[in-house]
Amino acid sequence: MNKYSIEQFIKQTEQVDKGEGFFELETPRILEVNLDGLVWAKAGSMVSYEGKIKFEREGILEHGLSAMFKKALTSEGTSLMKANGQGKLYLADSGKKIIILHLQNEAIYVNGNDLLAFEPSIKHDIKLMRKVAGMMAGGLFNVRCEGTGLVAITAHYEPLTLRVTPGKPVITDPNATVAWSGNLQPEIQTDISFKTFIGRGSGESIQMRFEGEGFVIVQPYEEVYMQAQS
């Protein structure tokens, strides 16, 4: 068979059921959801589906007035949609690598721009870091996911997980920070001398400091957050 024929291309790239369950990595950058009910997903992340699936944007009052207030302050990256029905749903986000995590009565914080999908059994709450709201475009927000179930997050290129241990804090660039364990509460610090050293007006001068015991996931890429469009 000609290695460049259409038939060969289809054979190499076609969808194959792996029998992995609700979430399945069809490729490292495309998530297959074997849907029979409901899944939460990042708004705009659907690339294809088959079956009978209805999509609905998260209602602004769905989680109460406090959530509505927080959503008004954060960027479009927090927008979620509900996909309800039966079939196969394919999700992706700007070609980013997808990581599936099975929480077992655990919690994880995910950068609002890096949360792709999660099961309805997972409780989610938007957290806004007010200290940096005026320092970075769109502020800095994250989503706390808690409970038992599957969560899919995304990262540009290969993620790196750093362990945080007592007495050995980890400092990260907020734009490169993907997620961290639910028991950690990062402090925001600024380093004016570092800002001067690198000759930039923002970015690395704002840092996240993690202390205690847990982990932080970073990516070799700095995301740029845009203000929400009215």
Side-chain angles (χ1 to χ4, degrees), residues 106-228:
E106 297 166 296
I108 187 171
Y109 286 96
V110 184
N111 183 303
N113 205 41
D114 298 322
L115 181 61
L116 181 63
F118 53 92
E119 288 192 87
S121 58
I122 297 292
K123 292 189 294 183
H124 69 285
D125 186 25
I126 298 168
K127 304 287 184 180
L128 178 68
M129 292 188 172
R130 290 177 177 81
K131 285 185 181 180
V132 294
M135 299 180 188
M136 297 172 65
L140 185 66
F141 60 94
N142 52 73
V143 182
R144 180 180 170 89
C145 296
E146 185 173 10
T148 297
L150 295 168
V151 177
I153 66 177
T154 59
H156 285 277
Y157 309 108
E158 304 300 323
L160 174 69
T161 300
L162 302 168
R163 287 199 177 271
V164 181
T165 55
K168 291 186 177 180
V170 170
I171 293 91
T172 66
D173 178 344
N175 291 327
T177 306
V178 173
W180 59 93
S181 48
N183 60 311
L184 295 181
Q185 295 291 334
E187 288 292 320
I188 299 299
Q189 65 181 33
T190 55
D191 190 330
I192 301 302
S193 62
F194 193 46
K195 170 182 171 182
T196 306
F197 173 72
I198 60 173
R200 291 176 60 179
S202 61
E204 281 88 347
S205 60
I206 304 168
Q207 301 162 350
M208 295 174 76
R209 181 184 180 93
F210 295 88
E211 292 195 69
E213 189 156 7
F215 64 87
V216 185
I217 303 170
V218 294
Q219 61 186 1
Y221 183 94
E222 291 184 46
E223 301 226 29
V224 178
Y225 307 111
M226 304 301 293
Q227 293 282 6

